[in-house]
Amino acid sequence: MNIDNINDMIPLLTPYKMGNFQLSHRVVLAPLTRQRSYGNVPQPHAILYYSQRTTKGGLLISEATGVSDTSQGYPDTPGIWTKEQVEAWKPIVDAVHAKGGIFFCQIWNVGRVSNTGFQPNGQAPISSTDKGLTPQIQSNGIDVAQFTNPKRLTTEEIPLVVNDFRLAARNAIEAGFDGVEIHGAHGYLIDQFLKDGVNDRTDQYGGSLENRCRFAFEIVEAIVNEIGADKVGIRLSPFADYSESGDSNPEALGLYLAESLNKYGLAYCHMVEPRLNAVLEKVECPHSLAPMKKAFNGTFMVAGCYDKEDGNKAIAENRADLVAFGRWFLANPDMPKRFELNAPLNKYNRDTFYISDPVVGYTDYPFLEDLQ
């Protein structure tokens, strides 16, 4: 039996056409914050990290990348608002392209998930609200993240932030990326407008579903006009309540977003399953993304605690077109090959997810051939 016939039996390894991009399989590298971009500048060690996880015709999404100097909320996360950052991304993108990969840059502003130490001139972080976040235990289970009460963006300031996203998208294309993914999920700035658990505005950006989604759509429209709809995706998590960003009716929010995004003709919509809890573990949940998949006309990507079995089932049952894998892809740079051969997976080490070491827990996970 040849390899093509084997792949035909594995839904995740079947080809897929995403707009203008011909993908060789449906396994996507999810955007993963790794905190190894010293001083917010991508580093040469990222060349190996991303190229290790590249397959010909495979789609990768970069770690979340700041659109401006107000975007930051974590140490050593990359940006794409300066010339230095754009130039630093170029060899990383080139390495992915050299292996035939397709590379999208996820762009974000963390909003109120920040403090004055990360902000220019020690100013308050920006948000839809002036409500602060309560301190949070960090991923290591020891340190406590402290947040500064945010500054509520005025209606006059909002277009400036929209423009930050537009310029970041333009910079991403200049750096060589094939497109951008707008980070509208997980309690960061865009999500702080979308969710009624955060957004307490009384102007045209608050209150109704339409008003709360206005900021997100203005960003989408600006980026589509700048680089073209075929190069734009968006990530959304209507069910998530990270950083105190829950919504009273997530089903209605997700459905409205999926339906409304159709008019822009995006490359894809990337939705996070409701079964992912605050400590990134799978939980059973009665909700479903199925209505959003049905409502969205384009490529529908899902993420959230997927393994090979779940992913194959989602593709086979037409509940998703693509599946993004995070922690398992982090620990298994050759994950599509392992799926193909039904090989065991390396276990991931959560303790090394967010350390600054340029090798440990980053590029030192073994390939199958290393284990033979």
Side-chain angles (χ1 to χ4, degrees):
M1 183 180 289
N2 68 36
I3 198 77
D4 292 331
N5 291 335
I6 294 173
N7 288 353
D8 286 343
M9 296 163 57
I10 304 173
L12 280 168
L13 299 184
T14 55
Y16 178 78
K17 194 171 191 310
M18 182 184 80
N20 296 329
F21 302 101
Q22 185 61 56
L23 306 183
S24 59
H25 56 77
R26 296 153 187 262
V27 177
V28 180
L29 176 67
L32 297 167
T33 292
R34 303 309 312 274
Q35 296 183 201
R36 289 164 167 87
S37 296
Y38 313 139
N40 307 128
V41 178
Q43 297 295 306
H45 47 250
I47 295 171
L48 180 58
Y49 172 74
Y50 283 109
S51 64
Q52 282 180 332
R53 288 154 185 80
T54 302
T55 53
K56 184 175 172 57
L59 175 61
L60 296 81
I61 306 170
S62 82
E63 60 208 278
T65 301
V67 300
S68 72
D69 59 359
T70 68
S71 299
Q72 306 302 311
Y74 302 91
D76 297 327
T77 52
I80 198 158
W81 71 88
T82 71
K83 183 70 175 171
E84 180 188 10
Q85 291 163 340
V86 172
E87 292 302 314
W89 271 117
K90 286 181 178 179
I92 304 167
V93 178
D94 287 347
V96 170
H97 286 159
K99 292 182 70 174
I102 296 149
F103 204 6
F104 272 52
C105 181
Q106 191 192 64
I107 54 175
W108 73 343
N109 186 310
V110 302
R112 68 175 185 164
V113 189
S114 186
N115 61 52
T116 54
F118 290 105
Q119 296 298 312
N121 306 313
Q123 66 194 40
I126 59 175
S127 183
S128 62
T129 181
D130 54 13
K131 291 186 298 186
L133 274 175
T134 53
Q136 296 176 358
I137 299 291
Q138 293 187 325
S139 57
N140 61 13
I142 301 168
D143 298 325
V144 178
Q146 301 285 347
F147 306 103
T148 304
N149 284 359
K151 177 192 180 300
R152 183 192 302 264
L153 286 165
T154 66
T155 51
E156 293 76 25
E157 290 168 329
I158 286 174
L160 302 177
V161 180
V162 172
N163 196 51
D164 288 340
F165 277 86
R166 180 186 67 82
L167 292 174
R170 185 169 77 184
N171 287 345
I173 298 304
E174 184 188 336
F177 284 101
D178 298 291
V180 300
E181 176 177 281
I182 301 163
H183 196 342
H186 295 163
Y188 299 117
L189 182 61
I190 293 173
D191 212 24
Q192 290 160 31
F193 277 82
L194 295 175
K195 302 287 184 61
D196 62 13
V198 183
N199 188 336
D200 56 357
R201 303 176 74 94
T202 56
D203 60 9
Q204 65 265 42
Y205 292 95
S208 69
L209 201 51
E210 294 80 5
N211 282 356
R212 285 184 279 122
C213 293
R214 189 185 306 276
F215 178 58
F217 294 152
E218 286 179 352
I219 288 172
V220 169
E221 184 168 6
I223 292 176
V224 163
N225 289 341
E226 182 67 36
I227 67 171
D230 59 315
K231 300 180 184 70
V232 183
I234 189 167
R235 192 179 215 209
L236 301 164
S237 60
F239 296 97
D241 59 0
Y242 296 99
S243 300
E244 300 163 21
S245 65
D247 192 81
S248 62
N249 193 343
E251 296 92 343
L253 174 62
L255 196 57
Y256 178 75
L257 284 163
E259 290 172 339
S260 302
L261 286 167
N262 284 327
K263 69 180 177 184
Y264 299 105
L266 302 183
Y268 64 81
C269 178
H270 182 181
M271 286 265 193
V272 180
E273 291 279 2
R275 62 187 182 180
L276 196 62
N277 69 13
V279 292
L280 302 180
E281 292 172 343
K282 190 188 298 186
V283 292
E284 292 308 315
C285 184
H287 304 302
S288 170
L289 297 180
M292 291 142 223
K293 163 77 165 74
K294 187 176 180 182
F296 187 70
N297 295 337
T299 295
F300 195 79
M301 187 189 310
V302 296
C305 284
Y306 274 89
D307 57 22
K308 179 184 175 183
E309 183 182 356
D310 288 340
N312 279 328
K313 196 171 179 187
I315 300 297
E317 295 176 357
N318 196 33
R319 290 185 285 108
D321 301 306
L322 304 172
V323 180
F325 293 85
R327 291 165 292 163
W328 290 114
F329 213 155
L330 177 158
N332 294 273
D334 54 353
M335 198 169 68
K337 173 66 71 174
R338 290 175 188 253
F339 284 177
E340 174 191 311
L341 301 176
N342 201 29
L345 299 180
N346 300 323
K347 289 184 167 53
Y348 54 82
N349 181 0
R350 192 187 298 274
D351 293 339
T352 62
F353 282 1
Y354 307 112
I355 64 173
S356 60
D357 194 286
V359 175
V360 176
Y362 192 58
T363 56
D364 60 348
Y365 282 104
F367 287 73
L368 274 174
E369 54 261 35
D370 300 329
L371 301 172
Q372 293 170 352

